[in-house]
Amino acid sequence: MKQMEEKILREGVVLPGDILKVGSFLNQNIDTQLLAEMGQEIAHLYEGCGTTKILTIEASGIAIAAAAGIAMGVPVLFAKKHKSSNVDGSVYSTIVHSFTHNEDYNVVVSKDYLSADDHVLLVDDFLANGKALRGLIDLCDQAGATLVGVAIAIEKCFTGAGDQLRAEGVRLESLAAIESMSDDAIVFRS
Ligand code: 5GP
């Protein structure tokens, strides 16, 4: 998606540890025009795929998922990060290792909101090592839901995690795919 790539080149900041800061338009201050276009693009990519629900993870995936949900006319469910896991059996729960905080946390969704009838599109802001996505896939598996595919705003291709998921048969689309990044250059996959 050209607008995303241009925005990343203009405003993205590469931090130590292979972190791309996009707080000026996506992770803190949200460019709502771009967000709406991202939602439209995701809807376009997955048109006719029978999606009944979008699943994301709090917090930074929610805005993008909501934009896609509005464009597709489907509800958006977000998995919550919790201290405890499945204390009373009312939630599906999995453990995810956080790329940005370097710690494990429980991720849960209520069994009330995800079921075997659902055809789920996963949406998130970044794909780095794929841990968040694999956690969401695990939650879908526990519910017996069908995975339609994945839409990621910014894929860091150099980790190999996205291509690994594709090799496993997961449809994965990213709006901007970064092949390499450093202080002075960000190169997109062509
Ligand atoms: P993964 O689980 O794929 O290793 O990491 C994905 C999660 O870590 C995303 O939900 C995102 O919040 C965060 N993340 C990973 N890489 C970056 C990055 O370069 N910049 C920012 N802002 N967040 C990232």
Side-chain angles (χ1 to χ4, degrees):
M1 190 182 166
K2 211 76 219 132
Q3 302 98 298
M4 270 289 285
E5 293 186 357
E6 285 168 5
K7 195 77 168 171
I8 291 168
L9 289 177
R10 270 202 311 274
E11 298 183 21
V13 180
V14 178
L15 299 178
D18 276 338
I19 294 195
L20 178 66
K21 194 166 172 245
V22 290
S24 71
F25 64 94
L26 197 58
N27 280 159
Q28 186 170 14
N29 187 58
I30 296 177
D31 179 333
T32 51
Q33 181 62 41
L34 180 65
L35 185 75
E37 285 164 16
M38 291 165 67
Q40 295 289 348
E41 179 67 13
I42 292 169
H44 174 67
L45 287 165
Y46 281 97
E47 199 170 358
C49 293
T51 303
T52 62
K53 189 164 286 178
I54 290 176
L55 175 63
T56 187
I57 185 166
E58 68 176 0
S60 50
I62 297 175
I64 304 159
I70 291 165
M72 296 170 77
V74 298
V76 172
L77 176 63
F78 62 92
K80 295 187 169 207
K81 295 169 183 169
H82 261 221
K83 286 269 177 286
S84 56
S85 58
N86 193 5
V87 259
D88 62 359
S90 65
V91 296
Y92 299 115
S93 135
T94 192
I95 292 174
V96 167
H97 185 81
S98 165
F99 180 90
T100 37
H101 298 108
N102 195 23
E103 62 183 8
D104 289 347
Y105 48 85
N106 283 300
V107 171
V108 304
V109 289
S110 168
K111 289 181 178 175
D112 290 341
Y113 306 132
L114 192 62
S115 78
D117 294 333
D118 282 313
H119 288 242
V120 179
L121 174 64
L122 304 180
V123 171
D124 204 2
D125 59 342
F126 276 89
L127 170 57
N129 294 323
K131 306 285 188 198
L133 272 185
R134 287 190 186 275
L136 294 179
I137 291 171
D138 185 22
L139 295 176
C140 286
D141 287 346
Q142 289 177 42
T146 304
L147 181 65
V148 172
V150 178
I152 293 290
I154 304 173
E155 176 180 356
K156 300 198 285 191
C157 302
F158 51 85
T159 67
D163 288 335
Q164 177 59 41
L165 280 159
R166 291 184 182 97
E168 292 170 25
V170 175
R171 178 174 173 197
L172 195 158
E173 307 280 356
S174 44
L175 304 184
I178 298 178
E179 205 66 81
S180 67
M181 62 185 200
S182 64
D183 276 355
D184 39 36
I186 296 176
V187 178
F188 295 101
R189 182 176 273 189
S190 47

